[in-house]
Amino acid sequence: MIYKTFLLLLFPIILFSQNKSYKVIGVKDGDTVEILMDGKPQVVRLSHIDCPEKKQPFGNNAKQFASDLCFGKKVKLSTGWKKDRNKRLLAEIILSNGKNLNKELVKNGFAWHYKKYSKDNSYDDLEKQARKQKLGLWTDKSPTAPWEWRKSRKKSSKPTLSTIAKSK
């Protein structure tokens, strides 16, 4: 009985939160935006996808594409939010026209399906289509996935024995 009462009380809260709109006040890069939530800035990391980093080819294109679609506009967030280790909200962003920003980035060749953190195969299908049509980053002969690019940057920034010896 308590469980049913709890669910009945929780249902309107869930229903209300699904219809709430938030203004996009910043686009940090292709897969990270900032919204105004309850009067405070909140960083949102787009779930299911990974866009090229700003210093990678197509990184600025991905940021511009996302910005063109959502900056300064009201958007809705998918339900079931979680936060990542950087305290960013993980969500899909639904634009005022009903389109999903996360999927639009993949569909237009500005993001990879981030399979490590997503089991949603619709993103995989969108990526395959964009690759086939050679859209966005898929015009590059051998694009580097952002997670590989980040990993290679970490390796190159670690001090080696020779660089340690030179600094002494």
Side-chain angles (χ1 to χ4, degrees):
M1 182 65 180
I2 294 173
Y3 181 70
K4 285 183 182 178
T5 305
F6 177 72
L7 284 177
L8 286 172
L9 290 173
L10 193 59
F11 184 73
I13 294 168
I14 293 168
L15 192 61
F16 177 75
S17 68
Q18 289 176 339
N19 292 323
K20 195 162 182 183
S21 293
Y22 305 96
K23 185 173 183 176
V24 176
I25 58 172
V27 177
K28 295 180 176 274
D29 58 28
D31 54 33
T32 311
V33 302
E34 193 169 30
I35 61 171
L36 200 56
M37 183 180 264
D38 301 324
K40 296 177 193 157
Q42 171 65 57
V43 177
V44 178
R45 170 68 169 80
L46 304 186
S47 56
H48 304 287
I49 70 170
D50 202 3
C51 289
E53 298 295 332
K54 283 188 259 186
K55 292 184 179 179
Q56 271 188 277
F58 294 94
N60 286 324
N61 302 72
K63 178 182 178 180
Q64 188 62 53
F65 182 85
S67 185
D68 289 346
L69 290 180
C70 72
F71 181 73
K73 298 177 182 162
K74 293 274 190 171
V75 298
K76 293 181 181 182
L77 302 179
S78 62
T79 58
W81 313 330
K82 295 179 183 175
K83 289 200 175 184
D84 69 5
R85 65 177 180 245
N86 298 317
K87 296 189 171 54
R88 298 177 297 187
L89 200 59
L90 296 168
E92 290 178 297
I93 291 186
I94 310 304
L95 303 169
S96 60
N97 63 6
K99 290 187 178 182
N100 179 317
L101 176 61
N102 309 40
K103 289 184 177 183
E104 288 299 309
L105 282 156
V106 177
K107 180 180 172 183
N108 288 279
F110 293 112
W112 275 259
H113 175 212
Y114 207 176
K115 294 173 189 155
K116 182 177 179 181
Y117 298 105
S118 169
K119 303 293 181 237
D120 186 336
N121 289 332
S122 66
Y123 284 92
D124 204 39
D125 295 339
L126 291 169
E127 182 183 314
K128 284 176 185 168
Q129 276 300 118
R131 282 177 185 251
K132 187 177 177 182
Q133 295 173 11
K134 296 194 182 310
L135 298 175
L137 63 92
W138 304 116
T139 60
D140 196 333
K141 288 186 182 191
S142 59
T144 304
W147 54 89
E148 294 294 334
W149 188 83
R150 289 188 295 267
K151 191 173 13 173
S152 72
R153 304 277 292 180
K154 281 183 184 176
K155 284 181 185 174
S156 66
S157 66
K158 286 184 180 176
T160 62
L161 288 176
S162 62
T163 57
I164 293 169
K166 288 178 186 175
S167 66
K168 289 185 177 185

